[in-house]
Amino acid sequence: FFFLMIRRPPRSTQSRSSAASDVYKRQDLKCMKRVLRRLGFISKDEIVQLKGKVACEISASDEIIVTEIMFAGILNEMEPNEIAALLSVLVYDERTSSEASKLIVIKNERINKYLQKVIDIGKKIVKVYQESKINIDEQEYLDNIKPTLVEVTYAWCNGSRFQDICKMTECYEGTIIRVFRSCLLYTSDAADDLLCVDLGGRRIIKKK
């Protein structure tokens, strides 16, 4: 997050290209602040709100979309194994094309329904970016939502043996383990009442 901007007067020895870069960064920061205000992460006075505090606790994925998912209450409707499977679409970061993602079939209808909700949230975020004068391609952003390991994660949560789930995908074993660990970071914290605060039925991770 760009909550703070370091203001530094230009030095006499500073090159024109460097000065132009600083101007660009300040403009980009201004636009990003507009995004955060419109999404409710900061106030109009640039005071960090609850959404912003929650986002600061997220490190395994895109903190903005994860926070939006949490505040939308989607996870409250899901079982733990479904939550882990859904979150795998955000922590799996291997390079895949949008065409390849479309070929992946998710058999679980409930997870498929929630995945569509995540995609809709992603589209909303992109729209806010674009309205805030930030150049972003919708399809490129949505390509970061990758369902490659949804079925694998769901099978793992339901007790399938690791050697069996490895046969369900062409991903490397190390990649599968890393995704599982990232999903555990989310689900274990969200399931701990000592680390959560209830907001009208929405259980939000609170700073330790």
Side-chain angles (χ1 to χ4, degrees):
F1 288 98
F2 303 109
F3 292 129
L4 298 176
M5 178 171 64
I6 300 177
R7 298 181 180 276
R8 182 181 60 184
R11 299 177 182 176
S12 58
T13 57
Q14 188 177 36
S15 67
R16 291 185 179 180
S17 61
S18 180
S21 177
D22 287 344
V23 171
Y24 175 80
K25 289 178 181 178
R26 286 197 293 271
Q27 292 174 340
D28 191 51
L29 176 60
K30 182 178 180 180
C31 293
M32 192 61 199
K33 286 181 178 179
R34 190 178 297 123
V35 170
L36 297 176
R37 281 196 299 271
R38 293 184 177 184
L39 291 175
F41 285 72
I42 61 176
S43 69
K44 63 179 181 179
D45 298 318
E46 299 184 6
I47 298 175
V48 181
Q49 302 299 295
L50 181 57
K51 269 190 176 182
K53 294 177 181 178
V54 170
C56 288
E57 298 297 315
I58 298 170
S59 60
S61 183
D62 181 336
E63 57 276 333
I64 290 183
I65 191 170
V66 173
T67 302
E68 287 296 307
I69 290 171
M70 295 172 70
F71 274 79
I74 294 176
L75 304 184
N76 297 318
E77 307 170 4
M78 305 176 68
E79 297 298 324
N81 52 357
E82 295 173 337
I83 293 175
L86 182 67
L87 292 178
S88 72
V89 307
L90 300 175
V91 297
Y92 176 75
D93 57 3
E94 298 292 325
R95 185 183 299 275
T96 55
S97 64
S98 57
E99 289 76 14
S101 295
K102 291 177 181 178
L103 295 176
I104 298 174
V105 178
I106 300 177
K107 300 177 182 178
N108 189 299
E109 293 183 0
R110 279 174 53 84
I111 297 178
N112 208 18
K113 178 183 69 174
Y114 293 122
L115 174 59
Q116 186 56 52
K117 291 185 178 181
V118 171
I119 293 174
D120 291 340
I121 290 175
K123 291 180 179 179
K124 184 193 76 171
I125 293 173
V126 170
K127 183 178 179 181
V128 173
Y129 270 104
Q130 293 173 341
E131 291 175 347
S132 301
K133 310 300 182 183
I134 291 182
N135 186 23
I136 183 173
D137 181 76
E138 181 181 274
Q139 190 56 55
E140 184 177 344
Y141 183 85
L142 295 179
D143 283 346
N144 292 317
I145 302 175
K146 302 174 181 179
T148 306
L149 292 181
V150 167
E151 291 289 345
V152 173
T153 306
Y154 188 70
W156 169 66
C157 290
N158 287 330
S160 296
R161 297 184 303 173
F162 187 73
Q163 64 185 40
D164 292 331
I165 64 177
C166 286
K167 298 176 182 178
M168 299 171 60
T169 177
E170 296 180 355
C171 294
Y172 293 113
E173 294 178 0
T175 299
I176 297 174
I177 293 173
R178 179 169 52 79
V179 170
F180 287 173
R181 287 176 60 87
S182 296
C183 289
L184 280 173
L185 287 176
Y186 286 136
T187 54
S188 61
D189 283 347
D192 192 334
D193 291 335
L194 296 178
L195 300 179
C196 298
V197 57
D198 186 23
L199 299 174
R202 296 187 289 270
R203 300 174 67 208
I204 306 299
I205 297 177
K206 184 172 62 176
K207 187 175 182 179
K208 298 181 181 180

